[in-house]
Amino acid sequence: MVNIGIENYEVKQLDLSKGRAAQIHLETIISQGNETEKHVFDEAGKVVQMNSSYYIRFQETYESGVIPVTVKIDPSGIVTLTRKGETTTRMRFDKGERFETLYHTPQGEVKIETMTKNMQISYTDEPFSGRVYIEYDLFLGKEKLGDYKLQLLFTI
């Protein structure tokens, strides 16, 4: 297992430039006040490597439809999560860092911020798989909206 924060990791035996089918498991735990929600997605997706970054693409399936999701893992350890649906978000994560972004809704744009408290990225060979774990706070202005935990597992 290799942690991306320690060294640049590339899959030598696999050509991921055109992408490979992958099984995706995503868990998100949201704590707001005294309430906690858990969302779990097990989806088919794709892993692509471009310019030393990995892109994990899949769709979250809901009763009301699907939302395309892309997770970009940069070799420097920055993770970008993009969801494009009726509402669109593009959140960035880097341990100990705060990032501002726009949350696009049908009613307009809202400025939100992520503050990454903990982040771990690791890869394993044979079969190639990865794990991204992020703990972060979400803010609307100075107001904290909640504590979030996100775990993404992917296997080719």
Side-chain angles (χ1 to χ4, degrees), residues 3 7 9 13 24-25 36 38-39 41 45-46 49 52 88 90 93 97 110 115 117 121 124 131 147-148 153 155:
N3 289 315
E7 62 185 86
Y9 182 84
Q13 66 274 30
I24 310 296
H25 176 82
T36 299
K38 183 175 182 178
H39 302 276
F41 300 93
K46 190 174 196 176
Q49 184 178 15
S52 299
T88 299
R90 185 175 182 268
F93 305 97
E97 297 294 323
V110 178
M115 173 59 197
K117 299 186 290 189
I121 302 169
T124 306
R131 176 182 179 262
D147 295 302
Y148 290 70
L153 306 172
T155 304

Side-chain angles (χ1 to χ4, degrees), residues 26 46 48 50 54-60 67-73 79-84 89-91 93 152:
L26 176 68
K46 190 174 196 176
V48 180
M50 291 189 298
Y54 292 108
Y55 293 81
I56 297 91
R57 297 183 175 130
F58 60 99
Q59 293 184 336
E60 294 176 344
I67 296 177
V69 177
T70 301
V71 177
K72 176 187 176 188
I73 306 170
V79 174
T80 305
L81 171 68
T82 306
R83 286 187 173 99
K84 292 186 177 181
T89 56
R90 185 175 182 268
M91 299 186 291
F93 305 97
L152 170 71

Side-chain angles (χ1 to χ4, degrees), residues 1-2 9-14 123-130:
M1 184 176 291
V2 177
Y9 182 84
E10 291 189 31
V11 181
K12 307 278 188 247
Q13 66 274 30
L14 289 176
Y123 301 105
T124 306
D125 287 324
E126 299 177 18
F128 177 62
S129 61

Side-chain angles (χ1 to χ4, degrees), residues 30-149:
I30 304 165
S31 299
Q32 295 174 317
N34 295 331
E35 296 183 26
T36 299
E37 289 179 32
K38 183 175 182 178
H39 302 276
V40 178
F41 300 93
D42 286 299
E43 308 284 353
K46 190 174 196 176
V47 176
V48 180
Q49 184 178 15
M50 291 189 298
N51 301 324
S52 299
S53 293
Y54 292 108
Y55 293 81
I56 297 91
R57 297 183 175 130
F58 60 99
Q59 293 184 336
E60 294 176 344
T61 304
Y62 298 90
E63 288 179 13
S64 59
V66 297
I67 296 177
V69 177
T70 301
V71 177
K72 176 187 176 188
I73 306 170
D74 189 86
S76 67
I78 294 175
V79 174
T80 305
L81 171 68
T82 306
R83 286 187 173 99
K84 292 186 177 181
E86 186 174 307
T87 59
T88 299
T89 56
R90 185 175 182 268
M91 299 186 291
R92 293 183 65 186
F93 305 97
D94 191 9
K95 189 172 181 178
E97 297 294 323
R98 193 172 183 130
F99 289 105
E100 189 176 277
T101 190
L102 292 175
Y103 181 58
H104 302 275
T105 72
Q107 293 77 29
E109 295 178 341
V110 178
K111 197 181 294 186
I112 59 173
E113 290 183 64
T114 59
M115 173 59 197
T116 308
K117 299 186 290 189
N118 186 16
M119 188 164 82
Q120 300 166 2
I121 302 169
S122 58
Y123 301 105
T124 306
D125 287 324
E126 299 177 18
F128 177 62
S129 61
R131 176 182 179 262
V132 177
Y133 177 77
I134 303 171
E135 292 179 15
Y136 66 99
D137 294 334
L138 189 63
F139 293 89
L140 176 62
K142 294 188 185 291
E143 181 183 351
K144 182 176 171 181
L145 299 177
D147 295 302
Y148 290 70
K149 294 179 183 174

